[in-house]
Structures are given as C-alpha cells and as structure tokens.
Amino acid sequence: MNEEHVNESMINGNFKVMGMTCAACAISLESYLQPLKGVIRVSVNYPNQSVFIDFDDQLISIETISAKAKEIGYTILVGDSEKVNVEFDELEHQRLKNLKKKLTFSAILSLPVFIISMFFMGVIPYENWIMLALSVPVLAWCGSEFYVIAWRKLKHFSANMDTLVALSTGVAFVFSLFNTLFPQYLMNQGLMPHVYYESAVIIITLILLGRFLEEKAKQKTSSVIKKLMGLKPKQVTAIRNGEEVIIPTEEIQKGELILVRPGEKMAVDGRVKKGESFVDESMITGEDIPVEKSKGATVFAGTINQRGALQIIATKVGGETLLAQIIKLVEKAQASKPEIQKLADKIAAIFVPVVMTIALISFAIWYLFGPEPEFTHATLALITVLIIACPCALGLATPTALMVGIGKGAEHGILVKDAQVLETAYKIDTLILDKTGTITEGKPKVSDILWQNTSKQEYYSQIVYAIENQSEHPIAEAISAYFKDLGVEPVSVDGFESVTGIGAKCRVEDKICFVGNSRFADLYLMEIPVALAQKAEQLKAEAKTVVFFGFDDKIEAIIAVSDQVKPSSIAAIQEIQKQNITIYMLTGDNEHTAQAIANKVGITHFKANMMPADKGLFIEQLQQQGKTVAMVGDGINDSHALAQADVGIAMGSGADIAMESAGITLIHSDLMQISKAISLSKATMKTIRQNLFWAFIYNVIAIPIAAGALYPVSGFLLNPMIAGAAMSMSSLSVLTNSLRLKRQKL
C-alpha cells in the first residue's frame, strides 16, 4: 500500500466495473491497481460490480487508473455518477441478453453431443465428425469469452476460473480433434482414440447457466445510490432580484433564497425565512408525523413540503447536505467486504493455480517416468486432471444452495435481495430495531378518549369532527379519520381558525370551541378537571400525544393519539431474545417516547434522538466489539444503518430505499419473520457447508487419481471419459443436496 502523499489532494470514489466474472477477478484487479503510485487503497466488490479507490489526484488520475484496469480486461466507468449508472445498466442489460442467446445456443448443440457420447458411441456413422461439427460453435462463439479472458490473463501472468475452464475445455477439444483427424496414431499404439467433446461443451453450458442466473439476479436489484439521488429535485425555483427563476439544482449557492411549493422536495438544507407548512421528514428522522415548519425552522434536502409555500435560505448545498452525507455513508458501507467474501477471494485466488500446477506436474512425471507411449499418457493425465478438477461443483456449491434458500424464503414472505446475507444471518448476536414502522404500526391513530360529560358525548363528537375535518394537521387527520369510521356527522361551525403550534378553534351556538394542546386551555383560562388532568399525564407517560377539547369555558374531553405497537411485536421480541440475541431500539423520537415503547415491548437497551449517521456509527461501534449486527428498519433514514449492518432487514411496508439498502425484506412487516429468516440462514449455511465439503473432498480424492496416483499400486488409470462423467456427477450431487432445502421447515 502506498502511504506517501496522503493529504488534502487524496480523494476517493466508488466506481462501476465491467468485465468481472468471478471472485478471482476481484483479487486480480485489486492486486494490479494497488501497487500503482498514488493509489492508497483499492477494495473491489464483486457482487456489486464496483471498486472503491482512495488515490492522490496529484500523483495519478482516475482516467489513468481506468486505463491500467483495461490492460487486464476490466473497464472502470468514469464520469458523472448518474450518467455512469445509466450506462452501466444498459451494458448489463445487453450482456444479459447476449448471455441468454449463448446459453440457449450452447444447450441446444450440447444436448445431442452428450446423448451421442453417453448412449450411442460406436453406433452412429461418422459420430466423431458430427460431434465435432456441433462442438465448434459452442467453443468458438458460446464459450469465446472464456478463451479471450484467459488469454488476457496469460499476457499478465495471472489466472482465474475462466483460465481453468478455457484450459480444460480447450485441451479436451484439441485432443478430441486430433483423435478425430488422426485416429490411427493411438490405434497403432494399442490405444482407443477416445474423444471428449461432450466434456468440453457440457462444461461451457453449465458455466454459462450459472453466470446467466447470477447476472439475472444482479439486474433485478436496483441501485441504492440511484434511489437516494432521486430524492433530490433536478430543478428549483430561486428568488433573484425579487423574481422567481427556475434553475438547475447544481447552480444553487449558499445564502440563496429558494421557493418550495406544496408537494415539492427540498433541494438544499436551509432555514425558513417566510411561510408556514408541514414537512414530511420521515426519510431523515424515520418519524411518520410531518413536522410543522415556520420562520426560523430548519429543513433538509430530500424532505417533502406538504401544505403551504415556504421561502428557504440555503445554508448547505451540494455535497454538504444531510442527504448527500447519507449517500456517501451508504457508498462506504457497501464498499466494505464481509469476512465470508474475503475467504471466498482467498480460495478463488489459490484454487486455479494449484490445479494448473498439479496438471503440469502430472504431465511432467508421466512424460519423464511413465511407460510408453510417454507423451500420450502424459497428455491424458493432463486432460484428466483439468477435466475432473473443473470448478463446476465448487462453483455451484454456494450459489445453488443460496438460490434454493432464497426461493424458500420467498414462500414464507422473506425476500432476500442480497444472497450474501444468508451467509451471515445465522451468526447474528445483536439486533437493532427501529421504532416507527418496525416495532409500531407507523401510522398515528386515536387510542383513548375520555369525556367529562358522557351524556353529551355524541354532540361533542360532532363538534370535534367538524373542527378536525377542516384542519390540515396530521394529528387532526388521525382524529378526523377516527370519527369518520364511527359514522359521526359533523355539525355546522362558524369562524374556523387554525392557530399555529396550538390547535384550531371555531364558534358553535355563539360559544367558543377548540381542539388543541394544553397551551390552548391556558390561553382561554380553561381549568382542566382533575380526573382529565391525571389521565392526560398518564397517557403522556405512555408516549401518547394528548389533545384537549374545550366547549365554552370548560374542558370536556381529552383525546390520545399514538403510533400503536404491532400486535406481534412483543411476542416476536421475546422469541428473538430466547435465541440469546441482544436487542437495541434506536429511534429519532424523544427520550420519553422511546422509554415508554421500550418498556411496553420488553426491550432493555434503547437510544433516542438518533440521526441517520448516529445509527450507522453505533452499529459500527458494535461491530468493532466483534458483534454480528442485524438492523431492522423501514425508513430512508435507516438506509445507512441497513447498509452498515452485517445483515440489513427492511419491513415491506416501509420506504423503497430501505428495502433496497437491506439484504432481506419482510414482506408482511412482521417481526416474527426475523426468527424464520435466521432459521433459513442456518439451514442454507448447513447446505453450503455440505456442498463445499463434498466439492473439496471430490477434488482431494479425484485429482490424485486422475493424475495417476493409483497406477504404481494397481496399474489403474482414470479414463478422461470417466473423469468427465465424475465431474458431472459431482455437480449433480451438489444440486440434489441443495434442492433438499425446499423440504425443510422454518
């Protein structure tokens, strides 16, 4: 790692990469770029097809880095992030389309080759020539990418899985071609001129199938960063010299006056200069109730103005806004690598060269010390090792189990969007829960009403409904919806007036009526009856918002509005705690409300007044203590925390961006599903371990036999035809074992 010149000229970025086909590619790209002068750190994320680079732009440019990557076959897309994302999506879509064509063509041509080889050898006239004619297009077009990449790697003295595929299929094909053109050569030496076209074409078809399924899964996953960027409007109305001017968001300057109409998104962080409104800040705070804004209030980019027009003085623009900081935090969290990926990288990095070395050693030993004909025996050993060690079983071991596990999860309402989380979820020992929309319903509802005079309850209900039905406050909407559901008919009222920060009032029968907070009662010198006052304090202690109804000069009722705890939350939390998982509740709400909800659901550890960055930092601190952390949330404010966590779990009823940031989405928004998700992870990981065990054992046993280890003892030599069949059986065993997951209960 180059540590010199780490100063203000050092910049970093997350860039999309084209051309990576396996985990070994990530190692290859990292090792090639890391030694470049000016490059501080390189971290390649193969599943996301991206590379995070820290570099000193005084010593090296990103264009130079991109050019160096292209030398070994990888394309780093450079430029405006939005344009790059569009270009990447288009290229990936075209790649998937081409891959599908090649897979279809390869499967159609490979099937008759396999049937002839397995069941009709020596029966069909000119069988070798027929198989040759069918195999050439498969290798020359369908499998061309393997050979192109292998050649590029060879020029830079590196290798990956493509190299092994290219070598095994290439050698098998060339050997078969020789035996087809010159069959007498081996026959004169008393050997049958076998051909192995079926091994070459079936290997290519299987690898293409795996890549097609992988690419298809990637294309279904939208970019988190793209959705976050979509929160910022492209244009904004600025007030310049007293006139309204529509300008691109990028041209906004600090201190500039911005007009935000109802329904529009904030383009900057700023301070309200003029106007009153309610702003939906759920993407920042996670709290569902819009926040009232008036002169002097702070607003954030990406939040939505709901009611009146606001004039905003821009205080933070561009990369300084809170939304931009969330985007950067999500990028950083996504660029980091889990341990399981590092392990996979290490295995991929050593597997290919080890197999190639064994094959070459086998060739050399047979050629130098083997019986006559030495070259023939050496070539057969080389081909047999490469064929039997083809990474089909190893390559299928993890993805097939994950695919079945993901399907199993979908049947139970557990949508897995990042396959790697199933490799981590079983290790969870710490669970972070958001409050609103996760533990609670996320929608304010009337929970309690206490009337001072029950004989007039019906009449007073009509008055309250009439007042709240004309108010735009979110609490008023909840109360209005409550009375509407009861079938209450509003009375006619006069002189309706909304008083900012207090409530609303009107006149009925020449008497003043109001619905609002306790400040309204104080303003009109209304005494709150002792019973109602005591009940109000009790309700507040339960984290409920209390509204007072006054008629004439008396307080006649109190109404409590709250975000209800989901019916399954308490039982789900108890079930999770039984699995020795520590639960934390993190919320942007106040300490009083957080304490009340935590007590109600049985959570000991909680933190209130948490901003998005605070949640992510808290999770990072837990991870530094060696904890495996899962985060459950439903809002845009949770996107950084979901990305930072080892396992991100989003509630299906939440914001799209939360579901995109998370690896798992609970479609039914039921916390009981978390236990099932962990069970699914355990079952999937067990299957993966079994698959890897058999794949490795297969190679450990088969490769020495293929190299001829039994020949000195028993004179046994493994026929490449049997090696091809064994390779196919190993893949079949892995697939069969993976399918067993479908029958497991969660």
Side-chain angles (χ1 to χ4, degrees):
M1 181 180 291
N2 299 321
E3 298 292 349
E4 71 271 16
H5 301 286
V6 181
N7 50 38
E8 65 276 359
S9 65
M10 191 190 81
I11 59 177
N12 59 55
N14 205 42
F15 305 93
K16 286 293 185 182
V17 182
M18 299 294 299
M20 292 196 296
T21 57
C22 69
C25 292
I27 296 290
S28 177
L29 184 57
E30 282 184 3
S31 61
Y32 196 73
L33 297 181
Q34 190 65 74
L36 298 178
K37 186 175 182 181
V39 173
I40 309 302
R41 181 171 66 92
V42 179
S43 177
V44 179
N45 190 320
Y46 169 62
N48 282 349
Q49 298 286 285
S50 64
V51 55
F52 190 86
I53 309 173
D54 280 315
F55 63 98
D56 189 332
D57 66 346
Q58 290 184 358
L59 298 177
I60 192 169
S61 66
I62 187 59
E63 288 76 16
T64 301
I65 296 173
S66 179
K68 296 298 289 184
K70 202 150 194 170
E71 291 179 1
I72 55 173
Y74 307 114
T75 302
I76 296 178
L77 301 180
V78 179
D80 178 75
S81 58
E82 292 186 14
K83 292 180 180 179
V84 164
N85 283 330
V86 172
E87 181 184 358
F88 180 80
D89 289 342
E90 290 175 352
L91 291 172
E92 284 292 286
H93 178 73
Q94 188 59 44
R95 171 174 167 75
L96 183 64
K97 190 176 179 180
N98 292 337
L99 199 54
K100 186 177 181 180
K101 287 181 182 178
K102 290 185 176 182
L103 172 61
T104 303
F105 195 68
S106 180
I108 290 172
L109 294 181
S110 299
L111 183 60
V113 175
F114 179 78
I115 292 174
I116 292 171
S117 177
M118 292 291 106
F119 306 107
F120 297 101
M121 286 298 292
V123 177
I124 300 176
Y126 305 107
E127 57 195 13
N128 286 358
W129 291 97
I130 294 172
M131 289 190 290
L132 171 61
L134 293 171
S135 300
V136 168
V138 175
L139 273 73
W141 183 60
C142 303
S144 59
E145 186 177 86
F146 301 125
Y147 305 104
V148 171
I149 294 174
W151 174 247
R152 287 175 180 168
K153 294 289 182 184
L154 179 62
K155 289 193 294 185
H156 292 87
F157 305 102
S158 62
N160 66 353
M161 291 293 189
D162 290 315
T163 307
L164 202 54
V165 173
L167 275 174
S168 59
T169 57
V171 172
F173 177 79
V174 170
F175 186 79
S176 300
L177 177 63
F178 179 84
N179 285 347
T180 301
L181 296 174
F182 310 106
Q184 294 300 323
Y185 178 79
L186 287 182
M187 292 176 69
N188 291 337
Q189 300 177 57
L191 298 172
M192 285 297 294
H194 292 292
V195 294
Y196 307 102
Y197 294 119
E198 84 290 343
S199 294
V201 295
I202 292 298
I203 287 170
I204 287 176
T205 303
L206 285 171
I207 299 298
L208 287 176
L209 175 61
R211 290 194 177 172
F212 173 74
L213 294 173
E214 183 179 354
E215 289 294 329
K216 191 174 181 181
K218 287 178 186 174
Q219 297 241 337
K220 287 182 178 179
T221 305
S222 302
S223 170
V224 174
I225 305 302
K226 188 195 305 180
K227 290 209 171 188
L228 281 170
M229 289 178 173
L231 294 173
K232 185 177 68 174
K234 297 183 183 298
Q235 293 183 323
V236 67
T237 303
I239 301 176
R240 294 177 173 177
N241 300 320
E243 296 183 0
E244 296 180 10
V245 182
I246 297 177
I247 61 173
T249 302
E250 291 74 19
E251 294 183 9
I252 301 174
Q253 302 294 320
K254 280 187 181 180
E256 192 153 24
L257 190 61
I258 307 299
L259 175 64
V260 186
R261 296 184 175 88
E264 293 182 344
K265 295 176 181 176
M266 305 290 175
V268 297
D269 289 359
R271 187 178 68 258
V272 177
K273 181 180 180 181
K274 184 179 180 181
E276 295 179 352
S277 183
F278 288 93
V279 176
D280 181 0
E281 294 186 342
S282 58
M283 66 283 297
I284 300 297
T285 65
E287 300 311 310
D288 58 294
I289 299 176
V291 180
E292 189 173 353
K293 299 291 183 181
S294 56
K295 185 177 180 180
T298 301
V299 295
F300 302 99
T303 58
I304 303 171
N305 184 25
Q306 291 194 332
R307 306 298 186 188
L310 295 174
Q311 290 186 11
I312 309 296
I313 298 174
T315 56
K316 292 182 180 180
V317 299
E320 298 177 345
T321 65
L322 183 60
L323 176 62
Q325 295 302 313
I326 292 175
I327 292 173
K328 289 179 181 178
L329 290 169
V330 173
E331 282 183 329
K332 181 181 178 183
Q334 286 188 332
S336 60
K337 286 188 178 183
E339 288 302 315
I340 190 68
Q341 184 59 47
K342 294 177 183 177
L343 177 61
D345 288 348
K346 291 176 182 178
I347 294 173
I350 63 173
F351 183 79
V352 176
V354 165
V355 170
M356 291 172 61
T357 302
I358 292 172
L360 291 173
I361 291 173
S362 301
F363 179 89
I365 292 174
W366 278 100
Y367 186 73
L368 295 174
F369 306 107
E372 295 183 353
E374 295 90 344
F375 182 78
T376 300
H377 282 104
T379 303
L380 287 173
L382 175 70
I383 294 171
T384 306
V385 169
L386 289 174
I387 290 175
I388 207 163
C390 185
C392 287
L394 189 60
L396 290 170
T398 299
T400 53
L402 289 174
M403 285 172 60
V404 176
I406 289 169
K408 181 77 171 177
E411 293 175 4
H412 291 267
I414 302 167
L415 183 62
V416 179
K417 294 193 175 182
D418 178 1
Q420 288 192 16
V421 302
L422 287 181
E423 301 176 344
T424 309
Y426 80 101
K427 297 185 291 185
I428 293 170
D429 53 30
T430 305
L431 181 67
I432 307 295
L433 298 178
D434 178 46
K435 178 181 73 68
T436 306
T438 302
I439 296 175
T440 66
E441 297 285 359
K443 297 177 182 178
K445 294 180 180 179
V446 172
S447 60
D448 305 87
I449 297 183
L450 189 64
W451 302 96
Q452 179 66 13
N453 189 346
T454 55
S455 63
K456 294 185 177 182
Q457 177 178 333
E458 183 177 349
Y459 177 55
Y460 288 157
S461 295
Q462 294 174 328
I463 297 174
V464 173
Y465 184 23
I467 296 172
E468 296 295 68
N469 199 36
Q470 296 185 56
S471 175
E472 296 181 336
H473 196 285
I475 294 294
E477 291 178 357
I479 296 173
S480 179
Y482 172 79
F483 284 112
K484 182 180 180 180
D485 291 342
L486 290 178
V488 174
E489 293 292 334
V491 299
S492 177
V493 299
D494 300 317
F496 176 84
E497 180 184 352
S498 178
V499 183
T500 302
I502 297 179
K505 68 176 183 176
C506 66
R507 297 188 70 85
V508 177
E509 300 176 355
D510 290 329
K511 295 178 180 176
I512 295 176
C513 307
F514 86 90
V515 179
N517 56 33
S518 58
R519 290 170 58 193
F520 221 136
D522 295 339
L523 182 66
Y524 286 91
L525 302 177
M526 293 184 181
E527 183 178 349
I528 303 174
V530 175
L532 294 185
Q534 292 176 343
K535 183 64 176 178
E537 290 303 314
Q538 179 185 335
L539 292 170
K540 288 179 182 178
E542 296 172 4
K544 298 177 180 178
T545 301
V546 178
V547 175
F548 296 85
F549 165 60
F551 182 82
D552 198 8
D553 59 350
K554 298 178 181 178
I555 299 296
E556 295 290 349
I558 58 172
I559 305 170
V561 176
S562 67
D563 185 6
Q564 302 291 316
V565 171
K566 292 178 182 178
S568 62
S569 291
I570 297 175
I573 288 169
Q574 291 175 346
E575 183 66 27
I576 294 167
Q577 288 172 334
K578 287 178 183 177
Q579 299 178 32
N580 295 320
I581 295 175
T582 303
I583 299 178
Y584 290 83
M585 183 183 76
L586 306 184
T587 177
D589 216 330
N590 60 66
E591 185 84 17
H592 185 75
T593 300
Q595 177 75 67
I597 296 295
N599 291 342
K600 188 169 185 177
V601 298
I603 294 177
T604 305
H605 310 287
F606 70 91
K607 287 185 176 293
N609 301 309
M610 298 287 281
M611 294 296 281
D614 299 328
K615 293 181 180 180
L617 181 60
F618 182 74
I619 291 173
E620 191 174 350
Q621 290 171 346
L622 289 173
Q623 289 170 329
Q624 289 172 355
Q625 298 171 20
K627 305 290 186 182
T628 301
V629 184
M631 167 70 193
V632 185
D634 75 324
I636 291 171
N637 66 299
D638 299 320
S639 58
H640 166 223
L642 288 167
Q644 176 66 47
D646 297 289
V647 178
I649 304 174
M651 310 303 282
S653 60
D656 287 344
I657 187 60
M659 289 184 274
E660 292 298 333
S661 297
I664 295 176
T665 297
L666 306 180
I667 297 175
H668 305 303
S669 297
D670 186 349
L671 289 182
M672 290 297 288
Q673 296 293 84
I674 295 175
S675 292
K676 289 187 177 181
I678 295 172
S679 298
L680 177 66
S681 173
K682 290 179 179 178
T684 305
M685 274 306 298
K686 181 179 179 181
T687 302
I688 289 173
R689 289 195 189 99
Q690 290 171 345
N691 287 350
L692 289 173
F693 172 79
W694 288 113
F696 276 114
I697 286 295
Y698 162 80
N699 280 296
V700 168
I701 296 174
I703 290 177
I705 294 175
L710 297 180
Y711 183 80
V713 179
S714 63
F716 175 79
L717 282 176
L718 185 63
N719 189 304
M721 173 76 77
I722 299 174
M727 183 274 296
S728 300
M729 288 301 297
S730 69
S731 300
L732 183 61
S733 65
V734 165
L735 287 167
T736 304
N737 190 50
S738 296
L739 290 172
R740 289 174 56 249
L741 261 175
K742 287 187 175 182
R743 300 192 297 270
Q744 295 211 6
K745 293 184 179 180
L746 297 182

